[in-house]
Amino acid sequence: MSLADRLTLAMRIKGISQAALGESVGVSQTTIWKLMNGKTSSNRKLYEIADFMKVNLDWLISGDGEMENNHQKNEIEYIGNIKEGSIIVKGEAIMKTDGAFQMNEDFNGRLKFHSDDPNAFALKIKGDSMFPRINSGEFVVIEPNIIPSSGDEVLVRTKDGSNMIKKLEFHRDCTYRFTSINQNHPPITLDEDMVEKIMFVSAIVKSVRYLDTQDI
């Protein structure tokens, strides 16, 4: 049984609709539909979905254990050591104004950071246009397989080759609206056909986590 099958089963048993579940955890009905139909298997809202439906998170994600969550919210459960791992650094983002950046693909290495997304990667930030949220020399972690929600920071790649790090404000009526991480810059609106890809920014990581290729 897949994650999609378990989610569909739990929703049927609990009597919860796609619209109700999406509204309760702050995502669109389309996002819930994609999870239920196996269009995606990675979403940062799975914890909130399991909590809302009162099902076991491990069961929902992997099928381990029983469906029902018998733990009380004030209980503390030992879940083991933090997972080890590293992800590839694909380059250096040389920041310009308003969250836009130019890529330097000569910079590489790996970042000591665990991600469940097999396609996760990191970019090193160079420049202070997103200070104090993101400082020069820090890394942003991108998880392409996670569907971003309103309020999430995202990497936006446009069809004309531009790259930006923004905050997703909304996506409706074939239009995206983004706000700048640096509040000195105004929001921007882009039509869907101008956008090549939007990827979830999952973390900002200090430079001490960087592993030079010679250290790997």
Side-chain angles (χ1 to χ4, degrees):
M1 185 183 290
S2 67
L3 184 151
D5 294 331
R6 289 188 293 274
L7 177 60
T8 301
L9 174 63
M11 289 174 64
R12 187 173 71 246
I13 291 173
K14 303 286 184 176
I16 299 171
S17 69
Q18 294 179 27
L21 180 57
E23 182 178 356
S24 298
V25 300
V27 299
S28 67
Q29 182 175 341
T30 301
T31 297
I32 301 300
W33 180 89
K34 286 181 178 179
L35 285 166
M36 292 177 67
N37 288 274
K39 302 298 183 183
T40 181
S41 59
S42 180
N43 190 283
R44 69 183 184 86
K45 292 287 187 177
L46 287 177
Y47 174 84
E48 294 178 42
I49 289 171
D51 184 59
F52 174 74
M53 296 198 300
K54 296 181 173 56
V55 300
N56 182 348
L57 179 62
D58 289 337
W59 174 83
L60 181 62
I61 293 174
S62 63
D64 293 338
E66 300 296 324
M67 182 184 80
E68 294 296 332
N69 183 5
N70 296 318
H71 293 286
Q72 299 298 319
K73 282 193 173 182
N74 60 355
E75 288 183 348
I76 298 175
E77 181 182 3
Y78 177 71
I79 59 173
N81 296 323
I82 296 174
K83 295 180 180 179
E84 296 289 339
S86 67
I87 59 174
I88 189 170
V89 177
K90 283 195 172 181
E92 187 175 52
I94 303 171
M95 304 307 300
K96 296 188 268 186
T97 59
D98 197 17
F101 64 87
Q102 176 183 343
M103 278 287 292
N104 171 18
E105 295 184 1
D106 292 333
F107 187 91
N108 51 36
R110 297 190 75 85
L111 197 67
K112 191 175 181 183
F113 184 90
H114 174 80
S115 173
D116 290 326
D117 185 343
N119 300 118
F121 65 93
L123 296 174
K124 182 182 180 182
I125 299 299
K126 184 175 182 180
D128 293 314
S129 67
M130 293 186 292
F131 177 84
R133 173 63 177 150
I134 306 176
N135 298 308
S136 185
E138 294 180 334
F139 293 80
V140 292
V141 176
I142 314 296
E143 294 184 310
N145 292 321
I146 293 183
I147 302 170
S149 302
S150 296
D152 287 337
E153 290 161 355
V154 293
L155 189 156
V156 184
R157 184 167 295 159
T158 61
K159 291 184 179 177
D160 65 4
S162 298
N163 294 291
M164 299 173 284
I165 295 177
K166 294 286 186 180
K167 184 176 288 188
L168 176 62
E169 185 174 338
F170 65 74
H171 175 210
R172 62 173 179 261
D173 300 327
C174 300
T175 300
Y176 289 100
R177 183 176 171 86
F178 304 98
T179 53
S180 296
I181 292 174
N182 185 328
Q183 296 301 312
N184 293 324
H185 302 294
I188 65 168
T189 301
L190 297 174
D191 292 336
E192 276 184 350
D193 58 8
M194 299 173 63
V195 176
E196 178 182 328
K197 190 174 291 187
I198 295 177
M199 293 176 278
F200 178 61
V201 174
S202 65
I204 301 166
V205 181
K206 299 294 185 182
S207 59
V208 293
R209 291 280 179 169
Y210 174 68
L211 303 170
D212 191 276
T213 50
Q214 296 178 353
D215 299 329
I216 301 172

